[in-house]
Amino acid sequence: MSRRLVSLTLDTLEDLPRPCRQCVYWELDPVSADRACAAGDPGLEKEAWVSQTLLEWGSCGKLVYVDGMPAGFVLYAPPAYVPRSMAFPTSPVSADAALLMTANVVPAFAGGGLGRMLVQGVARDLTKRGIKAIEAFGDAKFGDAKFGDAADPTGACVAPADFFLSVGFKTVRPHPRFPRLRLELRTALSWKSDVEYALEKLLGSMSPETLLRPVRPAPATRSTAG
């Protein structure tokens, strides 16, 4: 079983689950997000946000692949790039932290340690940029609403608070629904890798049809003798 962590680019953006690929919950303020959805193609806004953030700030996401299959992802950025961050009752994000917007692991891979692997990848990236911590808004009632529920538009866009707590985050501002949590990067980088065994155990009985689409192989190139 091979696993590979890569940075989000406009190319790898296509490997996000379709609902997430079309979602601009975090990338736009609530009014603009509603307008983009009404226009019928929020995916274009998502692509524009990723492009601008990559150009101005740098890497803003990680994807993990298992045996060539996209198995999970995280998105992150400075809060200034995330208009939705100011709409939470526990905002604002601390000045020394980047915001982990959302995290998602393909259900068939849940429990395999990929969430921790993704967060640790983010930690390594942000440490190189001199950022001291990651903060996130967790959903303490995750699962009560589904993606696209008009009565509760957060759906699956806000990751479970329990997930963040399970990978080392600590609550810095409590709230019955949307606590703000924080992970000091020095803590994340001290983790030992415990993913391989869990992945082997998890994937032994899985079938390909439970996964997302495979990554297309790079086209072969011709070589000429000099």
Side-chain angles (χ1 to χ4, degrees):
M1 302 293 178
S2 66
R3 56 189 176 89
R4 181 168 57 100
L5 194 67
V6 304
S7 295
L8 179 70
T9 65
L10 292 179
D11 291 330
T12 58
L13 179 63
E14 298 303 322
D15 286 330
L16 267 58
R18 183 170 177 78
C20 302
R21 173 67 179 85
Q22 298 292 320
C23 178
V24 288
Y25 175 85
W26 289 101
E27 293 82 358
L28 300 176
D29 63 81
V31 173
S32 297
D34 289 343
R35 187 180 300 123
C37 291
D41 197 355
L44 291 176
E45 295 287 351
K46 183 92 163 189
E47 184 174 328
W49 182 89
V50 170
S51 179
Q52 179 181 5
T53 306
L54 286 171
L55 180 64
E56 297 179 355
W57 185 66
S59 180
C60 57
K62 298 288 182 185
L63 292 91
V64 62
Y65 297 85
V66 177
D67 285 347
M69 302 288 183
F73 74 94
V74 292
L75 295 176
Y76 57 97
Y81 283 79
V82 190
R84 176 73 66 164
S85 67
M86 293 305 298
F88 285 82
T90 48
S91 63
V93 174
S94 301
D96 64 346
L99 176 64
L100 198 161
M101 300 151 57
T102 191
N104 183 289
V105 173
V106 175
F109 288 98
L114 294 182
R116 176 168 292 216
M117 180 180 175
L118 285 161
V119 172
Q120 192 169 31
V122 175
R124 290 195 185 99
D125 178 38
L126 294 179
T127 297
K128 295 175 183 178
R129 306 193 211 186
I131 296 174
K132 295 182 178 180
I134 310 169
E135 291 192 0
F137 299 103
D139 188 349
K141 297 182 179 180
F142 185 88
D144 292 351
K146 301 301 182 182
F147 188 91
D149 185 348
D152 190 348
T154 61
C157 301
V158 183
D162 286 346
F163 163 73
F164 292 117
L165 293 171
S166 73
V167 296
F169 282 71
K170 306 296 183 184
T171 302
V172 292
R173 190 171 177 188
H175 187 269
R177 179 69 189 272
F178 296 118
R180 179 160 52 89
L181 306 104
R182 180 179 173 96
L183 177 67
E184 303 293 338
L185 292 186
R186 63 178 180 272
T187 300
L189 293 177
S190 70
W191 290 334
K192 293 182 179 179
S193 176
D194 58 356
V195 176
E196 291 289 354
Y197 173 75
L199 278 178
E200 291 176 4
K201 183 177 179 182
L202 176 68
L203 298 178
S205 61
M206 288 183 59
S207 58
E209 53 268 21
T210 65
L211 309 177
L212 295 178
R213 68 176 178 82
V215 179
R216 293 183 297 273
T221 56
R222 293 184 178 179
S223 59
T224 56

